Amino acid sequence: TDRKKLHTAPVGQVFRLRPFHLLVATGGGYAGYRKYEHYKVEQLEKRGIEVPVKLASEWEVALYKSVPTRLLSRAWGRLNQVELPTWLRKPVYSLYIWTFGVNMKEAAVEDLHHYRNLSEFFRRKLKPQARPVCCVHSVISPSDGKILNFGQVKNCEVEQVKGVTYSLESFLGPRISTEEMHFSQAPPGNSFQQQLVTKEGNELYHCVIYLAPGDYHCFHSPTDWTVSHRRHFPGSLMSVNPGVARWIKELFCHNERVVLTGDWKHGFFSLTAVGATNVGSIRIYFDQDLHTNSPSYSKGSYNDFSFISNNNKEGIPMRKGEHLGEFNLGSTIVLIFEAPKDFKFNLKAGQKIRFGEALGSL
């Protein structure tokens, strides 16, 4: 009579798959398959074989977005903060260095035992002379990385990679009030692109830089400019490697991103830090109110913050080469700016570039 009763569930209930688990498993498996497909494409391109662009269908994008990349990225961020035992640091960091080709000779601190956790290692600083800033050209690369695309913005569309575009307005969001910016009022009938161009005879240009996991993860000011406004888009955290960028149209519009807008000597200037898988954390050094990949923000919205106030009429002045922010792992920087028609890029698509090197000049 004192025996405890053992309650058992039917076998069907124990092994019953919930729709969410099934969706996650399917989405994760499909994402892995796509990564393998992208690897094959990269191998063909290295052999000089041109591969036609094949865009993902709506259901494929929806399936990929069903993977809980935001949750996984938050978990990865917490894991990065865990302090490693001193004896384990060198083996762990050495594996990462070997996998992604990190050049530790450029690091300000080469001793791997110095970095208490993965986050500190990812955000390592460079030696002062490791990245000399070009003084001759007006726009420099804000980070290390690979040039995915560059050129003029045409018909309100921007190329994320060759042959794959996204909407300029969807990427930047609605135009900011002229009261917060130093721009002239554009006629209401003009296109979104024309409204951004403030000086007659100027054009709108863009440049996309992909940061691989092994690259230096801080980014800097690409020119002398003033930051007036920040717009944060909570969103997905899909991979932004070149293979995925040529597969998913408007990838950068789907992903979480932080858009900094302002002006330089030639008019409108913007720098956008785009998040990616395991890179939910985007930090802007002068913006303590920014919190990315937070569960309190929902996808499909955006929140604005103005750096112009009663006490600060100008915004945040940035000097060329000055520290601006940082990622964890790797991601993408997109520059969209106004310049005279004789502005020329000194680049080739696909080339590797380092922070401080010239992007272009007049």
Side-chain angles (χ1 to χ4, degrees):
T1 57
D2 294 332
R3 290 180 182 176
K4 295 180 179 179
K5 292 183 179 180
L6 178 63
H7 296 275
T8 59
V11 175
Q13 292 182 13
V14 174
F15 293 99
R16 184 172 57 190
L17 288 174
R18 297 181 179 179
F20 174 76
H21 297 156
L22 182 62
L23 193 61
V24 169
T26 306
Y30 188 76
Y33 166 74
R34 289 305 311 179
K35 281 186 175 292
Y36 173 68
E37 289 292 309
H38 298 325
Y39 171 77
K40 293 197 298 183
V41 169
E42 288 177 358
Q43 296 304 308
L44 291 173
E45 289 179 341
K46 286 180 180 179
R47 292 161 54 187
I49 301 174
E50 187 173 349
V51 181
V53 175
K54 183 181 179 181
L55 294 177
S57 62
E58 290 186 8
W59 72 264
E60 287 177 310
V61 176
L63 186 60
Y64 190 2
K65 292 174 72 173
S66 71
V67 180
T69 51
R70 298 180 74 189
L71 180 62
L72 293 173
S73 296
R74 284 196 289 270
W76 176 253
R78 292 190 181 95
L79 180 63
N80 286 350
Q81 300 294 331
V82 175
E83 185 170 343
L84 297 176
T86 305
W87 62 269
L88 188 59
R89 294 174 188 177
K90 188 171 183 179
V92 170
Y93 301 147
S94 296
L95 177 62
Y96 185 90
I97 290 168
W98 176 78
T99 303
F100 296 108
V102 179
N103 184 3
M104 284 302 294
K105 292 183 179 180
E106 298 177 333
V109 180
E110 296 184 38
D111 182 12
L112 297 180
H113 296 101
H114 169 80
Y115 303 100
R116 294 174 298 176
N117 51 48
L118 286 166
S119 181
E120 286 189 1
F121 178 71
F122 295 147
R123 295 181 287 105
R124 64 193 176 276
K125 304 300 181 184
L126 299 181
K127 293 174 181 176
Q129 302 303 320
R131 297 289 187 275
V133 175
C134 177
C135 299
V136 178
H137 296 80
S138 55
V139 184
I140 62 168
S141 176
S143 65
D144 289 6
K146 179 181 180 181
I147 302 295
L148 292 190
N149 217 302
F150 62 92
Q152 284 190 17
V153 177
K154 298 180 180 179
N155 301 320
C156 295
E157 293 282 324
V158 186
E159 278 196 318
Q160 59 189 29
V161 294
K162 185 178 180 181
V164 182
T165 63
Y166 56 93
S167 164
L168 178 65
E169 186 170 5
S170 296
F171 182 69
L172 296 179
R175 189 166 183 265
I176 300 162
S177 170
T178 53
E179 295 178 0
E180 298 183 18
M181 308 293 282
H182 305 299
F183 308 151
S184 59
Q185 181 66 45
N190 285 4
S191 68
F192 183 80
Q193 178 178 337
Q194 292 171 328
Q195 292 177 24
L196 295 180
V197 177
T198 63
K199 298 180 181 179
E200 187 176 353
N202 281 3
E203 296 288 347
L204 208 60
Y205 297 85
H206 74 97
C207 182
V208 183
I209 305 170
Y210 166 69
L211 290 75
D215 287 327
Y216 169 56
H217 294 90
C218 296
F219 51 92
H220 301 246
S221 176
T223 191
D224 296 333
W225 65 307
T226 301
V227 183
S228 305
H229 189 271
R230 178 259 290 162
R231 177 169 283 162
H232 171 216
F233 289 86
S236 300
L237 289 173
M238 295 184 283
S239 172
V240 293
N241 74 53
V244 177
R246 63 179 293 156
W247 178 54
I248 297 181
K249 184 177 174 63
E250 299 204 333
L251 171 64
F252 299 154
C253 298
H254 289 296
N255 272 15
E256 182 157 12
R257 58 197 182 278
V258 177
V259 182
L260 300 178
T261 54
D263 62 300
W264 70 318
K265 60 183 178 181
H266 299 297
F268 173 80
F269 199 96
S270 73
L271 180 148
T272 302
V274 182
T277 308
N278 295 335
V279 197
S281 174
I282 302 171
R283 183 182 174 193
I284 305 297
Y285 294 137
F286 58 75
D287 189 355
Q288 301 303 316
D289 295 322
L290 175 65
H291 301 285
T292 57
N293 194 19
S294 170
S296 60
Y297 295 119
S298 60
K299 297 180 183 179
S301 62
Y302 65 85
N303 52 84
D304 288 337
F305 185 85
S306 175
F307 297 110
I308 296 177
S309 63
N310 293 332
N311 298 325
N312 180 11
K313 298 291 186 180
E314 298 299 323
I316 307 295
M318 296 297 301
R319 303 293 297 175
K320 184 168 63 174
E322 186 177 352
H323 279 84
L324 183 55
E326 64 187 36
F327 292 112
N328 282 327
L329 279 181
S331 198
T332 299
I333 295 286
V334 179
L335 301 179
I336 298 176
F337 57 92
E338 174 185 359
K341 290 182 178 180
D342 56 351
F343 181 87
K344 300 294 182 184
F345 284 103
N346 303 317
L347 303 171
K348 292 181 180 179
Q351 79 172 70
K352 292 288 290 182
I353 197 165
R354 304 201 303 176
F355 155 61
E357 295 180 345
L359 286 183
S361 63
L362 299 171

